[in-house]
Amino acid sequence: MMRKQSFLSLFVALSLCMLTAFVLGSSSSPARANQAANAPEDVPYFVYRQAANSPFAWRRFDGAYSQTTGTIFFLGGRLPDGSTSGTIWEFDPVSGVYADTGTVMNIPVSNYEIATLMDGANEVLVIFGGRTAAGAVTNAIQGYYPGTNTVVTFSDVLPVSTSPGGVAVYDNIAYVFGGF
């Protein structure tokens, strides 16, 4: 379990505006990724690869890469009928294969962001708040441990219920920004 001190040091910054721009290095144009083969070696660029269609039909979800497993995890999402799934899916970027982990988040949510933190020597993917199956937002803080394929709902909660606008990690502290 994450130490209580970790959450006491958690800084939650709630604001009325959401982060609207995502900047990758010095790239000012999405076309830069497609120009990778022709880019001079001294110009930074980023390459992306579109993954195969997922076997789940979610909307409003996030994914995070796990250093522990070398795979990407998705911790649930909203289904086309408006219901919410807490099923955890894994994607192997090497093989391109998706797999249902057989594990479900304790409180299924959509509209969440994932922060990758360390709980001692164990990697934990943490989500803050989100939209529940009932359509309300929650203040729950939940975690998924990729190394053991287990979930936890932490006893600490956010001071308000929210679906975060953004989450960033610095020095193993998650910062939660914006939301609704």
Side-chain angles (χ1 to χ4, degrees):
M1 298 295 272
M2 302 259 328
R3 296 180 316 229
K4 185 157 184 101
Q5 179 182 14
S6 295
F7 283 110
L8 292 177
S9 65
L10 174 69
F11 173 76
V12 179
L14 298 173
S15 67
L16 296 176
C17 61
M18 293 176 56
L19 182 63
T20 58
F22 180 68
V23 180
L24 293 176
S26 64
S27 176
S28 60
S29 166
R32 173 90 51 173
N34 293 325
Q35 298 171 354
N38 299 325
E41 289 186 347
D42 63 340
V43 176
Y45 61 89
F46 298 88
V47 177
Y48 66 89
R49 178 177 303 157
Q50 185 169 339
N53 289 338
S54 69
F56 52 88
W58 298 340
R59 296 180 218 153
R60 300 182 182 215
F61 64 95
D62 194 14
Y65 178 78
S66 167
Q67 293 283 342
T68 301
T69 64
T71 57
I72 299 167
F73 289 93
F74 309 98
L75 308 182
R78 190 176 314 167
L79 295 163
D81 67 2
S83 64
T84 304
S85 170
T87 302
I88 299 171
W89 282 84
E90 181 177 19
F91 174 73
D92 184 332
V94 175
S95 69
V97 173
Y98 290 88
D100 182 339
T101 65
T103 302
V104 177
M105 296 301 292
N106 292 329
I107 304 170
V109 293
S110 63
N111 300 69
Y112 61 85
E113 300 279 336
I114 300 172
T116 302
L117 299 170
M118 295 304 295
D119 179 6
N122 299 306
E123 179 184 52
V124 59
L125 307 181
V126 180
I127 56 177
F128 301 89
R131 178 191 177 270
T132 66
V137 290
T138 180
N139 64 347
I141 302 171
Q142 301 182 81
Y144 172 69
Y145 289 85
T148 58
N149 192 32
T150 56
V151 296
V152 63
T153 301
F154 296 104
S155 58
D156 289 337
V157 295
L158 295 170
V160 297
S161 296
T162 187
S163 288
V167 173
V169 175
Y170 173 74
D171 200 24
N172 206 41
I173 298 172
Y175 294 86
V176 180
F177 300 93
F180 61 92

